[in-house]
Amino acid sequence: MRCTMAQEKISLNAVLRQTIWAKQLTTEQMARVEADTVEQCVPKGGYICRKGEQVDAWIGVIDGLVKMNNLSPEGKSVTFTGVTAGGWFGEGTLLKQETRKYDVVALRDSRIARMPAKTFMWLLDTSLPFNKFLLMQLNERLGQFIGMVEFDRLLDVDARVARCLAALFNTHLYPGTNTLLQISQEEIGFLSGASRQRANQALQVLERAGLLKVDYGGIQILDLDGLRRFSN
């Protein structure tokens, strides 16, 4: 897929320099990251990576929205999380040197950065700040997944949608998120495990509660703490 003009406005190197983990790299380290990292444009519905493949890169979302999910033998889809612009993922699988345990699919046309595994491991060996970043990343991801198991089992759909939206405001995992979420009701349904129609009903409930406002093409978050606490 060819990137659109909107996607081409910011160069890959400029995006890399703006990441949290790059801010304390040395000039030499940053030069290698820029030389080795490549970009890929994936259309809506396309696979960024597939379950069972050998992991060869650490992956970042420059622009767009992706989901990590699996299909059961019966064909039921289970979504683990969504990753918005500014988020990076796959470090756990790289560290364990395993095959990938999940699919990653673009929910909209997305621009993706791929840092080769060798470069990733070299940063681990040469950069203490990068190691500290990854410790935080893994800790935040673990907390996110524990929370998802909890609200998937204990909360109704309205509360699941509220927590799903709130989870996109983790400043470490998704530093590029602002209070106007450019996300569709269909995408919210994918991320929260609900149909588009049921996600729409949940958004109406949350809007009446004064937690958000549904606008054309996006959702304005009015009370983030309220979303995090919301429960029926």
Side-chain angles (χ1 to χ4, degrees), residues 1-4 7 39-43 109-112:
M1 173 192 171
R2 185 181 183 276
C3 291
T4 64
Q7 290 171 315
E39 66 177 272
Q40 170 191 20
C41 289
V42 181
D109 292 350
S110 297
R111 187 180 173 200
I112 304 300

Side-chain angles (χ1 to χ4, degrees), residues 17 55 58 62 67 82 94 108 127 179 183 210 213-214:
R17 294 187 201 110
V55 178
W58 191 40
I62 300 172
K67 68 170 181 175
L94 276 171
R108 66 177 75 144
S127 175
T179 56
I183 188 169
K213 179 176 176 55
V214 179

Side-chain angles (χ1 to χ4, degrees), residues 155-167 169 181 183 185 188-189 192 194 197-215 219-232:
L155 303 180
D156 65 9
V157 176
D158 296 340
R160 288 212 313 269
V161 169
R163 304 296 176 85
C164 171
L165 292 172
F169 287 87
L181 282 176
I183 188 169
Q185 294 172 15
I188 293 170
S192 60
Q197 292 78 10
R198 185 62 185 87
N200 178 50
Q201 293 172 7
L203 290 173
Q204 293 178 32
V205 170
L206 299 173
E207 187 169 32
R208 288 196 296 271
L211 304 178
L212 54 80
K213 179 176 176 55
V214 179
D215 293 321
I219 296 170
Q220 182 70 53
I221 304 301
L222 303 177
D223 185 352
L224 181 57
D225 287 337
L227 285 177
R228 289 171 172 153
R229 297 192 304 266
F230 184 84
S231 174
N232 279 350

Side-chain angles (χ1 to χ4, degrees), residues 21 36-37 41 51 89 99 111 114 124 150 156 166 214:
W21 51 265
D36 293 352
T37 304
C41 289
K51 179 180 179 179
F89 63 89
T99 57
R111 187 180 173 200
R114 304 179 73 94
L124 275 180
E150 177 186 13
D156 65 9
V214 179

Side-chain angles (χ1 to χ4, degrees), residues 172-189:
H172 186 89
L173 295 175
Y174 316 119
T177 306
N178 60 53
T179 56
L180 178 59
L181 282 176
Q182 300 294 329
I183 188 169
S184 70
Q185 294 172 15
E186 179 184 33
E187 291 167 343
I188 293 170

Side-chain angles (χ1 to χ4, degrees), residues 77-140:
S77 178
V78 178
T79 297
F80 301 126
T81 189
V83 183
T84 59
W88 288 75
F89 63 89
E91 59 279 345
T93 310
L94 276 171
L95 291 170
K96 291 183 288 185
Q97 298 184 349
E98 295 180 337
T99 57
R100 197 171 300 280
K101 304 295 186 183
Y102 49 83
D103 293 320
V104 182
V105 180
L107 293 180
R108 66 177 75 144
D109 292 350
S110 297
R111 187 180 173 200
I112 304 300
R114 304 179 73 94
M115 179 192 295
K118 287 184 178 180
T119 308
F120 175 87
M121 300 306 292
W122 178 77
L123 284 178
L124 275 180
D125 291 337
T126 61
S127 175
L128 181 59
F130 188 71
N131 278 266
K132 290 181 177 179
F133 166 84
L134 285 181
L135 282 174
M136 284 293 298
Q137 177 96 340
L138 291 167
N139 186 57
E140 292 291 337

